[in-house]
Amino acid sequence: MDGTSGDGATPRDERAPGERHTPVLLERVTELLDPALRDRDAVYVDATLGMGGHAAALLAAHPRLTVVGMDRDPQALELAGRRLTAYADRLHRVHTVYDDVAGALEQAGVPAADGILFDLGVSSLQLDEDARGFSYSRDADLDMRMDPTTGPTAADVLNSYTAGELRRILREYGEERFAGPIANAIVRTREKRPFTRSTELVELLYGVVPAASRRTGGHPAKRTFQALRIEVNRELEVLRDALPAALDALAPGGRIVVLSYHSLEDRITKRVFAERVRSRTPVDLPVELPGHGPEFRLLTRGSEQASDSEVARNPRAAPVRLRAAQRVEDGP
């Protein structure tokens, strides 16, 4: 994945998906993972393989590296396989959601990971393909499933959730100020006809979100589409389970990098990392007990952002926040 937040505002790129894919913060990601992968038989888990941009760079840089590439999107796995044909003997592609790192490692026949990357959000492939329905700038079926083979669609959510449930996801996942009026308008509209196309929802949002807010807060559909996508794919729920599982799967000295694209993802990452870098010695003891020190150490001070030059090259890097951590060598 290239991890864009999926606001739909990026100009359409008519190149093939693999050609237009620009990995976010590629140099920084490879720099952070390099000490755990260099000059050894190492295992790298790309928990959000997407079109394989980060994986391609790491495979080229580390001839002894094995990659376990996970993705819930079958189309992304297929495209990544084509892109990484030269490294087929060192690549294991696994069709699964990123909270199953342990299962992916078991399927690949390796016991632990030396490096793990989560590049969250919606990928260029998903955002740019009309049929997927992720973008509010083009008319499409209201689907928004990262794995189009299973689960409810965005249309299912719009047409079946109560006003209270819609209000909750718009407020929590989209941080939408007008969640109540939007939810009520959705329920009123679907009584006449069910939602099927993205333009139907966009038109409703233009009618509900005040013009003054549109002038200062961006496109009126941005937050609603984000909230629906997160709900359809259970993104935050999955992430809360995925990060602890990934940390547990790291070998001593192993490193993890997480690229988040909105504050909700970044808060979860910050909280999970903070729990693992604390000492496990009881706070009332004057010295740290052997074997009770922190399991991890942070590799970044707070979250890092893309530079102006990176954003100029790849506008979808604008919202990114990077955090990284390393398992302590002598940890449990």
Side-chain angles (χ1 to χ4, degrees), residues 142-308:
L142 280 163
D143 193 316
M144 298 194 194
R145 292 173 297 172
M146 292 179 177
D147 182 349
T149 67
T150 186
T153 67
D156 293 329
V157 171
L158 290 169
N159 293 322
S160 65
Y161 278 31
T162 66
E165 290 170 329
L166 290 168
R167 184 167 56 249
R168 176 187 60 80
I169 67 169
L170 291 170
R171 186 174 294 144
E172 291 183 11
Y173 299 160
E175 300 177 292
E176 174 56 71
R177 292 168 51 203
F178 305 101
I182 291 171
N184 292 334
I186 289 170
V187 172
R188 287 195 304 270
T189 300
R190 78 188 188 196
E191 290 175 353
K192 302 173 185 175
R193 65 182 186 281
F195 287 92
T196 60
R197 304 287 292 182
S198 57
T199 50
E200 298 166 353
L201 179 58
V202 171
E203 289 172 5
L204 178 146
L205 294 167
Y206 266 109
V208 175
V209 177
S213 177
R214 299 202 300 266
R215 286 193 291 271
T216 58
H219 197 289
K222 177 178 180 179
R223 290 173 292 277
T224 294
F225 270 62
Q226 174 180 295
L228 286 171
R229 191 200 81 219
I230 290 172
E231 174 69 10
V232 166
N233 297 289
R234 300 173 44 249
E235 291 178 41
L236 301 184
E237 180 183 343
V238 170
L239 185 61
R240 291 187 188 98
D241 294 333
L243 289 177
L247 293 172
D248 290 341
L250 277 174
R255 293 183 167 209
I256 182 171
V257 177
V258 180
L259 304 180
S260 303
Y261 295 84
H262 54 73
S263 60
L264 303 173
E265 294 171 339
D266 188 50
R267 282 179 215 153
I268 293 171
T269 305
K270 179 181 179 180
R271 183 170 63 249
V272 172
F273 280 11
E275 291 171 356
R276 295 299 187 99
V277 299
R278 292 195 191 105
S279 170
R280 290 162 296 152
T281 297
V283 294
D284 56 343
L285 292 183
V287 295
E288 190 163 85
L289 295 176
H292 286 67
E295 294 179 87
F296 288 83
R297 69 181 183 91
L298 298 178
L299 298 173
T300 55
R301 178 176 292 182
S303 63
E304 298 181 358
Q305 302 179 39
S307 65
D308 291 342

Side-chain angles (χ1 to χ4, degrees), residues 49-52 76-85 91 93:
L49 181 63
M51 285 176 283
L77 287 171
E78 180 185 354
L79 290 170
R82 292 184 204 166
R83 180 175 191 169
L84 302 173
T85 298
L91 173 66
R93 290 176 294 153

